[in-house]
């Protein structure tokens, strides 16, 4: 799965740390396990909301403080959403935009 | 020196503290990486460059201004904390969540103030903390109610009962934050305890916009436009008027004693940890409000 964070962590684009996790069959790089947890939960929530079996690409904009405005794509389909989490990765908000 | 994430004491200077933090990120420790990302840089550097950046984060000859600037950066930037956005025009659920979680915050507050007193012989600190305990927790009969009493009245004005507020366990982020503040005030120097607690009063300081904040704690219009209950106005107005003197007088004392006791970096480290806990705690106020609204409470 591709994201717009091409330089570093799949969620926050930071280049510190080194944590790998398989998401939907792809081995993805994250800066830490919390970013990986957040990303994995986010993917599950998008699939639950859309009924998709896979996600090709996710565009993430924002940060931990203001939350993240996102767009997931699956082929020609698109799903826009917003989410915020606690520092430990627990979701506070996940809503369709 | 003290680590701003795990709070351990480290002998030495910036070389040793940055070495510790750098080694923790090499182990992919999430908490230390979070601190680096939020306060140093999101871009990996060499260890030598990292030491310079860490030193830049801490170095100051004006601790009070340093605390205010970091606090604004954390909560009042162009992307303010979500709770502050909710408080500009608060609904009943946000205010109820505020009442339920803040009750537990204030219970710890008075204990923290007491531990600060117990950890020093400086009488001006005793006087400051006693005054704070009276205004936050005890009040003065016939003159003014305690901040805590006003909070409970705000909760009641939206349908909460005292029994339910008292019997509702705080949410996990509130528990974690309260335990951290208790640990700091119980085990560290009084000036570090003061930094952990009293810097947080900046959240309601109405001068924050003068210092560069993008928003205030709430829009003052709500004190007059009838959109919130009279009890909410009483609660918010009391904090709005009181906390300028509280938080800034405390910062003056923190600056004075941190310099005198050679604990400036330790105070800064504790401040960093405290505002991270406070960030999560403010989110817990929102989550509690959502739970009450959805009848999951």
């Amino acid at each position: 799965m591709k994201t717009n964070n091409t330089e570093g962590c799949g969620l926050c684009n930071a280049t510190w740390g080194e944590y790998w996790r398989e998401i939907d069959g792809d081995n993805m790089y994250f800066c830490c396990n919390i970013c990986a947890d957040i990303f994995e939960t986010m993917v599950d929530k998008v699939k639950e909301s859309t009924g998709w079996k896979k996600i090709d690409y996710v565009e993430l904009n924002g940060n931990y403080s203001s939350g993240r405005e996102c767009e997931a794509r699956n082929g020609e389909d698109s799903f826009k959403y917003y989410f915020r989490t606690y520092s430990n990765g627990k979701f506070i908000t996940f809503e369709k935009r | 020196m003290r680590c701003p994430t795990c709070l351990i004491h480290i002998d030495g200077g910036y070389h040793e503290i940055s070495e510790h933090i750098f080694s923790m990120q090499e182990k992919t420790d999430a908490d230390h990486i979070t601190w680096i990302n939020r306060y140093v840089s999101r871009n990996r550097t060499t260890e030598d460059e990292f030491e310079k950046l860490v030193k830049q984060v801490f170095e100051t000859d004006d601790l009070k201004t340093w605390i205010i600037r970091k606090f604004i950066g954390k909560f009042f930037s162009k992307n303010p904390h979500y709770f502050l956005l909710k408080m500009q025009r608060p609904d009943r659920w946000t205010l109820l969540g505020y009442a339920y979680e803040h009750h537990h915050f204030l219970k710890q507050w008075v204990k923290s103030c007491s531990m600060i007193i117990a950890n020093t012989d400086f009488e001006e600190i005793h006087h400051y903390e006693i005054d704070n305990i009276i205004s936050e927790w005890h009040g003065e009969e016939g003159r003014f109610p305690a901040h805590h009493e006003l909070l409970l009245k705000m909760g009641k004005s939206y349908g909460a009962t005292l029994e339910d507020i008292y019997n509702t366990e705080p949410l996990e982020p509130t528990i974690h934050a309260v335990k951290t503040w208790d640990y700091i005030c119980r085990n560290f120097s009084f000036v570090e305890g003061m930094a952990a607690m009293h810097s947080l009063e900046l959240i309601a300081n109405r001068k924050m916009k003068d210092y560069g904040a993008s928003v205030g704690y709430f829009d003052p219009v709500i004190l007059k436009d009838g959109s919130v209950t009279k009890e909410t106005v009483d609660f918010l107005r009391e904090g709005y008027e009181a906390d300028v003197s509280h938080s800034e007088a405390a910062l003056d004392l923190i600056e004075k004693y941190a310099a005198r006791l050679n604990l400036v970096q330790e105070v800064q480290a504790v401040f960093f940890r405290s505002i991270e806990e406070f960030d999560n705690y403010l989110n817990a106020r929102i989550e509690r409000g959502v739970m009450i609204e959805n009848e999951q409470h």
Side-chain angles (χ1 to χ4, degrees), chain A residues 14-58:
Chain A
T15 50
W16 297 104
E18 185 172 357
Y19 184 91
W20 295 86
R21 186 176 294 178
E22 192 175 309
I23 309 274
D24 263 4
D26 290 329
N27 202 23
M28 292 187 68
Y29 166 78
F30 298 97
C31 66
C32 65
N33 63 307
I34 291 177
C35 279
D37 289 347
I38 293 170
F39 195 91
E40 192 167 33
T41 306
M42 177 196 80
V43 166
D44 288 344
K45 286 180 181 291
V46 169
K47 286 182 176 174
E48 191 180 310
S49 300
T50 58
W52 296 348
K53 298 283 186 232
K54 65 174 179 64
I55 298 169
D56 297 326
Y57 179 82
V58 182

Side-chain angles (χ1 to χ4, degrees), chain A residues 5 7 11-19 29-35 62-66 68 82 84-88 90-93 95, chain B residues 22 25 28-31 33-34 36-39 41-45 50 74 79-83 171-173 276 279-280 283-287:
Chain A
N5 293 322
E7 290 150 20
L11 184 81
C12 72
N13 210 27
T15 50
W16 297 104
E18 185 172 357
Y19 184 91
Y29 166 78
F30 298 97
C31 66
C32 65
N33 63 307
I34 291 177
C35 279
N63 56 36
Y64 77 96
S65 178
S66 57
R68 298 177 200 276
Y82 166 85
R84 286 181 73 240
T85 68
Y86 285 107
S87 288
N88 66 3
K90 184 187 170 196
F91 272 65
I92 303 168
T93 308
E95 56 196 24
Chain B
F22 197 88
Q25 74 80 26
T28 311
D29 179 84
D31 292 337
I33 288 173
T34 297
I36 296 169
N37 283 338
R38 293 181 182 179
Y39 300 108
S41 169
R42 288 200 305 163
N43 299 319
R44 185 191 289 267
T45 66
F50 183 69
K74 175 80 179 167
N79 291 315
H81 193 284
Y82 200 65
F83 183 76
L171 292 172
E172 193 282 331
E276 287 300 307
D279 180 348
N280 285 324
N283 283 326
R285 289 181 182 176
I286 299 169
E287 185 183 1

Side-chain angles (χ1 to χ4, degrees), chain B residues 185-233:
Chain B
C185 293
R186 195 176 292 276
N187 296 297
F188 295 175
S189 66
F190 80 90
V191 69
E192 290 167 277
M194 287 186 79
M197 304 313 299
H198 295 300
S199 61
L200 306 180
E201 289 180 294
L202 288 170
I203 198 76
N205 183 328
R206 67 175 178 275
K207 281 172 66 182
M208 293 309 270
K209 283 184 91 171
D210 298 339
Y211 293 136
S214 62
V215 294
Y217 189 44
F218 54 85
D219 185 340
V221 167
I222 67 173
L223 298 177
K224 297 173 186 166
D225 68 2
S227 63
V228 295
T229 60
K230 176 188 172 300
E231 289 81 0
T232 302
V233 171

